[in-house]
Each structure stands twice: as C-alpha cells, then as structure tokens.
Amino acid sequence: MRLLNKRAIVTGAGSGIGAAISCHFAKQGAKVAVVDINLEKAEVVANKICVDGGEAVPFYADVSNSDDVANAFAGAEMAFSGLEIIVNCAGINQKLTACTEVSEETFDRMFNVNVKSLYFTTLHGVPILAKYERCAIVNIGSVGGIRPRAGMAWYGASKAAVNAYSAALALELAPQRIRVNSIAPVRTDTPMVWYMVDGETVEKRAKMDSEIPLGRIGHVDDIAQAAVYLASDEASFVTGQTLAVDGGRLLL
C-alpha cells in the first residue's frame, strides 16, 4: 500500500474529486479525515471508507472560517494521533460570465473558498505537520490557473493563486522537509463542471470531450491517482510542482 499508516486530512471531501481522493487514500492504507461544509456528505464518504475496510472520520468545516478549520485539524490530529498529509480540495467555480458581470458576492465567495482557505489550512495545519516526518501538502488548482479562458477570468485568477502559492510554500517549508505540490485538473466530470455550463446535455459533453486531445474530460479517479502519487513517499523528491492532469489540453 502506497500510503500505509499515513494520516491525512482532505477538504471538500464530501463529493466529487475530494471524495475520490479520500477513498483512494484509504485504499492505499491512509487514515482519512473527511472534511466538508456538508457534514452529512462527509459522513457518507467516511462510512463508505469504513465499510470497505478503511479508516475515516468525518468533520464539518467551512474552509473560509478560521475556527472551523482549526477545529477540523485539531480533531483529525487527535483522532489519528498525528497528521502527515493535507489535501486542499475544497473549491467552487463560476458560471461562464463576462469579467465585468460577476457579482461581488460570487467573487468574494470564490476567493474565500479557493484562496483564503489555504491561508487557514496553512495557519492551522503546518504547525501540526511540522511535528511529524515525511509530510506532504497537495493543493487542487486548475488548468484554468495556467491558461485562463474568457468567461472564467476570476475563477482562473483564484486557481493561479493556488498554483503560485503552492510553489512559494514549497520553498518555505523545504527546510522542514514538508513537500508542497499542486494538481491542475482539466474539466472533470463532477457537478461543478456542469454548473459552469448551466447543466449537462449530450451535446455539451460531446463538445467538452472533443476539446481534449485524449478525447474525454477528466474523471475524478484521474485526479485522485495523481494525488496518491504526490502524497506518497514515491514523490519524496518532488516539491513545488504543478502537475497538469488534463488529457493534453494545455498542449493546444
């Protein structure tokens, strides 16, 4: 098992990519704190992991709230008697909208969840990781943060911040031997991507698939498997990198 006896906390873990990462981590031997703003969804994911023979504990947290994040990290460390892995997966996007038409409320919520959350997980999580060995942080960015597109300007800006911060944090934490990397997924088959385009249709899916060199949009397992690698000791000499999991989209 690639993460045997590792102790991890995953935010945004109640559904989509975060749920997949939590399940893949558990299959690879990790104990997982499943954190989500929707506690019922976190409980469902944690229960599934336990039924499948893994170990997981659900926690509530609005990642844009410092106290919530602090409580989740303290609870995870207490539950597992330590913590070595942080996965910052919680995130929200916007609908395809001109940059001048995005509401201030949408902008604030997006940056609070996508960017400010990293401030809180750093503030409350890094001092915990510093007590243990062979630790890793994996942040979920986006190809939109590398190659922004019209109609998604503010979302792209928030994810560019994730990528840039991950590299800076990697430098800062290297003396403590804490590795930090980010993953940049392409459009992935989750409710978030269909929200962006006002709902899924056969035609919309076909168009999205056609825009990817490998012929399909991402699956949550694609991202989860990359997260397993970056969190594992197999990546012990990898830090400060943004790994695009995009079916070749950035090559176009």
Side-chain angles (χ1 to χ4, degrees), residues 36-120:
D36 202 89
I37 194 170
N38 186 320
L39 181 58
E40 289 184 1
K41 289 185 176 181
E43 289 171 341
V44 168
V45 174
N47 183 64
K48 180 181 184 303
I49 289 171
C50 293
V51 168
D52 290 341
E55 186 172 346
V57 180
F59 291 94
Y60 165 83
D62 175 348
V63 293
S64 67
N65 181 283
S66 181
D67 289 342
D68 283 358
V69 174
N71 290 337
F73 272 91
E77 185 185 24
M78 181 177 295
F80 302 142
S81 300
L83 197 64
E84 290 103 356
I85 301 168
I86 299 171
V87 179
N88 288 301
C89 188
I92 58 175
N93 65 355
Q94 62 174 88
K95 293 189 176 183
L96 286 168
T97 309
C99 61
T100 55
E101 295 177 7
V102 172
S103 70
E104 184 177 358
E105 179 182 9
T106 297
F107 175 92
D108 285 345
R109 182 61 178 157
M110 193 156 46
F111 272 77
N112 283 340
V113 174
N114 295 357
V115 182
K116 194 173 184 179
S117 64
L118 300 184
Y119 169 71
F120 291 138

Side-chain angles (χ1 to χ4, degrees), residues 189-190 193-195 197-205:
D189 194 0
T190 67
V193 77
W194 301 117
Y195 164 81
V197 294
D198 288 320
E200 178 184 2
T201 66
V202 172
E203 293 76 16
K204 289 175 183 177
R205 179 179 285 274

Side-chain angles (χ1 to χ4, degrees), residues 182-234:
S182 62
I183 298 173
V186 75
R187 292 173 177 176
T188 303
D189 194 0
T190 67
M192 274 182 61
V193 77
W194 301 117
Y195 164 81
M196 178 184 70
V197 294
D198 288 320
E200 178 184 2
T201 66
V202 172
E203 293 76 16
K204 289 175 183 177
R205 179 179 285 274
K207 183 177 185 301
M208 284 190 186
D209 286 345
S210 71
E211 294 171 345
I212 308 298
L214 288 182
R216 65 168 175 83
I217 61 173
H219 297 161
V220 292
D221 289 342
D222 299 324
I223 316 306
Q225 289 160 358
V228 168
Y229 165 68
L230 290 174
S232 76
D233 290 340
E234 294 171 6

Side-chain angles (χ1 to χ4, degrees), residues 121-142:
T121 59
T122 300
L123 188 68
H124 301 299
V126 167
I128 294 176
L129 294 194
K131 295 186 287 184
Y132 304 99
E133 296 181 353
R134 302 197 312 278
C135 295
I137 298 173
V138 180
N139 298 323
I140 305 302
S142 170

Side-chain angles (χ1 to χ4, degrees), residues 162-174:
V162 173
N163 296 339
Y165 178 67
S166 299
L169 191 63
L171 279 174
E172 190 164 333
L173 298 184

Side-chain angles (χ1 to χ4, degrees), residues 15-37:
S15 61
I17 293 172
I21 290 173
S22 298
C23 291
H24 276 263
F25 274 27
K27 288 177 183 177
Q28 293 297 329
K31 302 174 183 179
V32 186
V34 180
V35 180
D36 202 89
I37 194 170

